[in-house]
Amino acid sequence: NVPFPALASVVSNDACRALCRDGFAVVDGAVGETWAHLFRDDVITLAERRLLGRNATHFVRGGATHLLEKRGIYEAELDR
C-alpha cells in the first residue's frame, strides 16, 4: 500500500490562484508516480468502457440554455 500524499503540502499558492482564475491547476508530481499510474489506469478503463463525456458548463442567455464545452477536459459520472 502506498499512502496518498497530503495535497496541502504540495499545492502552492500559485496553483491555488490558477485554480481560482482558470478553473483548474496543474501540480506536477502532486501524487507521486505510483498514484499517477493508478489514476491513469482508471481513466483508460473509463474511456474503454465509453464512460467519459466531454465536460461542459451550462449557462443561460436570453432564456435559452447553452453549453460551453471545455476542450480536452472529460468527466465521468461515478455516483450510483
Side-chain angles (χ1 to χ4, degrees), residues 46-69:
L46 290 170
E48 288 173 347
R49 294 180 182 178
R50 299 179 187 267
L51 295 173
L52 291 178
R54 288 193 173 271
N55 177 277
T57 298
H58 296 72
F59 66 96
V60 177
R61 179 183 288 166
T65 301
H66 302 275
L67 292 178
L68 174 63
E69 287 190 1

Side-chain angles (χ1 to χ4, degrees), residues 4-25:
F4 195 78
L7 294 180
S9 67
V10 294
V11 177
S12 68
N13 288 334
D14 287 342
C16 290
R17 282 191 287 278
L19 179 60
C20 291
R21 182 186 64 239
D22 303 327
F24 69 94

